[in-house]
Structure formats: C-alpha cells, structure tokens
Amino acid sequence: MRNAALLFSAAAVTAPSTARVRRCGALARAALVACGGIPRAVPGFEATPFRMAGDELVWISETGPDHPRTVLIDGGAAWEVLEVGDDTEISLCDAVETVGGCAFSIDDARTTACRAIVGLVNISIPRGFASVLIGQNPPFPLSYRVDAVHALADACAADDAVAFVQHAQRLLGVGSGLTPSGDDFVGGALFALRWTGAKTAASGAVHQPCDGAWHASLWQQAASQLVTHAASRTHVISATLLADLAHGRSYAALHDFATAVTRGDADAAFTHANALVSIGASSGWDMLAGFMAALRGTAVALMPAPLVDTPHSRTQHLHPYL
C-alpha cells in the first residue's frame, strides 16, 4: 500500500511544461521575473496572445514587433511557465522607452516627417484615421469623428491642453479591433507631445530635453486625465497600450521614427514609418496619424488621395492583435 501511494503521488505531481524567452522588453522581463514566469489569462481575452504577468500586461508569441511588453518565446508545444535566463535578449530597455533627450528644430522635424510620410503614402494606402493624410474620410464609424481629429490637431497648434482632452475623449473607444483606431490615434498624439515637450505651436522653436517640464505641465495633466478616462471608455488591453504611449514607451518602430525625424533623416524615417504601419489592421497607421497631427498642429491632407484602393505589396501586416 505504501508503494502504491508513492506511485500515485509521483504520477499526480508532474513538472509544468516550460518555454524559453528568447527576447523581450525590459518591462515584460521584470514582470515575468516578479511572477515567477507564470502568466495568467486576461479575463475576456483568453483567445488573444495577451496575458497578465503579475500586475503587468504582456504579449506572448513566437514572433512580433518589439515593444516593452513583448515576450518572444521558442516555438513548440503548449507551455505553462516561461523561463527568463541570462541569455534572454532585452529588445527595449529603459533608455529606449523614454522619448526626448536631444535638441532639434520643430520646423525641421515637421519637414522631415512630412517628407517621410509623403513617400510612404506613395507606396501604401493609409488606413484608419490616417486616411485624412490623403484627404479621404475614413470608413464608418470613424467618419463620424473626423471633426474631433481636426479639432485635436488644432488644440495642439493652440497649445490648449483643455481642448485637447475634450476632443480626445470623443475618440477613445472609437473603431473596431483589439485596439480601436481612436485609442491608437490619441496615443500617437500623446507620444508626440511628450517627445516634443508639448512645444509644437511655436514655429521654428527649438525643443530642449524637458522631461521634467513635461511631467509638471498642463499637458501631463491632460495625458493623465485621458489615461484615466480610457479605463471606462475602452478595454484593459487598449487602455494599457494607450497609457504606454502617453508615458513615452511604445513600439520600437515609433521610437525609431521619432529619432530619425529629430536627426533630419527622412530616408530612415520612411523606413521606420513603413515598419510601424505594418502593425495590426490599422494600429500603426493610426498611431502615425496621431503623431503627425500633434507634430504638425493640423490634420489637413499632406497630398491628394492616390487612385488605387488596395495596399501596396511592400506593406506587410503583422499580428492583428497589436
């Protein structure tokens, strides 16, 4: 009987299956280490790659774009535990997650960004709210919030944080998909405002590293209000990713685009923008459109709409969950 009990006990206790983490963002790594590598499902989103690692949202897959919350694992059978080792590559560290840090001319940045985007819309059709970049109305239901898009851009030009919040609230939760277009657009605008220190209104102004000034400004209060408001206007995944954008940490492609713009490198900005717009069904385009609206202080078209209605083959789409 004693031997039988031991056999039963050994059979009942099996080691959990594990998967090695090859690459992840610094935020995801810290969260996985803290929770012992055992993530849990997000209620209501069990079929998505998103999981909770302790109190932090992470995105787990075999492939995908770099983000502070991305966790890339080895392929194979089902797993229960994720192993983070010394050989795990950190795709985004704290220094990358924080925008700003160099002086640049706002006018020069606008010129460089516009050159890159004009090149991009020549090879790919903008989606989501980015349709306004070529003078087209986005599809329903986004078409009913185009006025808010223009008003939000005008608020950036006027340095009016109160008006920005008012119009941004009308965009939150608007659209379909795991991250609605309105959330991505507002997030992209908040990222740009943090990156420029909310100094997009003064023509020719030179941006100086002003992360501290941003935190103490009305614009930081505006960002905090919108992050709080998003919690009741959209779901936990989209609200979390919007908060990341507001805090200046997001996809590597967006960081790289902003860096190229500050350096006046339109070719590199084009390359990184093309990588950004490949994220999701329209998420990348919406983030880029919000970024441009805040940087330019306007959402008027950059150029006439192309004659074709299908995406160019050079634009590849990655992971509709993102």
Side-chain angles (χ1 to χ4, degrees):
M1 290 295 292
R2 187 167 65 94
N3 290 338
L6 289 174
L7 288 173
F8 177 80
S9 176
V13 179
T14 59
S17 57
T18 62
R20 187 177 68 91
V21 177
R22 295 184 288 103
R23 181 178 173 88
C24 64
L27 189 155
R29 186 187 192 284
L32 286 174
V33 170
C35 74
I38 306 176
R40 64 185 190 279
V42 181
F45 297 92
E46 291 84 356
T48 75
F50 285 97
R51 297 290 185 271
M52 295 301 298
D55 295 329
E56 293 289 353
L57 183 76
V58 297
W59 185 87
I60 305 169
S61 184
E62 297 176 18
T63 60
D66 286 338
H67 185 282
R69 297 182 185 276
T70 295
V71 179
L72 301 184
I73 62 175
D74 285 336
W79 50 267
E80 298 173 86
V81 179
L82 297 182
E83 292 183 341
V84 179
D86 293 337
D87 60 339
T88 298
E89 183 180 2
I90 304 302
S91 59
L92 288 177
C93 62
D94 292 339
V96 177
E97 293 173 11
T98 303
V99 296
C102 64
F104 58 92
S105 163
I106 293 295
D107 276 356
D108 289 347
R110 288 173 179 151
T111 299
T112 299
C114 288
R115 284 179 57 198
I117 302 308
V118 167
L120 184 61
V121 299
N122 275 325
I123 68 160
S124 179
I125 304 301
R127 299 182 298 280
F129 278 122
S131 297
V132 300
L133 294 171
I134 56 173
Q136 287 187 338
N137 269 333
F140 174 86
L142 311 187
S143 55
Y144 283 88
R145 289 293 186 269
V146 171
D147 62 324
V149 165
H150 287 279
L152 180 148
D154 292 342
C156 294
D159 197 25
D160 189 339
V162 174
F164 180 92
V165 171
Q166 174 188 347
H167 301 301
Q169 286 178 340
R170 296 185 57 223
L171 293 168
L172 295 179
V174 175
S176 59
L178 201 56
T179 56
S181 287
D183 298 355
D184 290 324
F185 182 91
V186 171
L190 288 171
F191 185 96
L193 289 167
R194 184 185 181 95
W195 167 66
T196 60
K199 297 183 184 303
T200 61
S203 177
V206 174
H207 162 79
Q208 297 291 343
C210 55
D211 201 46
W214 163 253
H215 279 285
S217 70
L218 289 175
W219 283 102
Q220 177 59 22
Q221 296 177 35
S224 297
Q225 290 175 31
L226 289 170
V227 168
T228 300
H229 191 67
S232 62
R233 289 296 301 273
T234 189
H235 56 76
V236 61
I237 293 174
S238 192
T240 299
L241 296 179
L242 185 149
D244 286 341
L245 285 160
H247 288 97
R249 59 189 185 200
S250 188
Y251 296 97
L254 181 57
H255 286 273
D256 292 339
F257 172 75
T259 298
V261 165
T262 64
R263 295 174 178 170
D265 189 341
D267 290 338
F270 165 84
T271 298
H272 298 308
N274 195 34
L276 177 63
V277 301
S278 69
I279 296 172
S282 69
S283 289
W285 272 113
D286 285 313
M287 284 184 278
L288 187 61
F291 184 101
M292 293 298 292
L295 176 63
R296 296 170 66 213
T298 180
V300 299
L302 286 171
M303 60 186 296
L307 296 178
V308 294
D309 294 324
T310 55
H312 192 279
S313 59
R314 282 180 60 185
T315 299
Q316 304 297 319
H317 304 300
L318 300 175
H319 303 286
Y321 288 117
L322 292 174

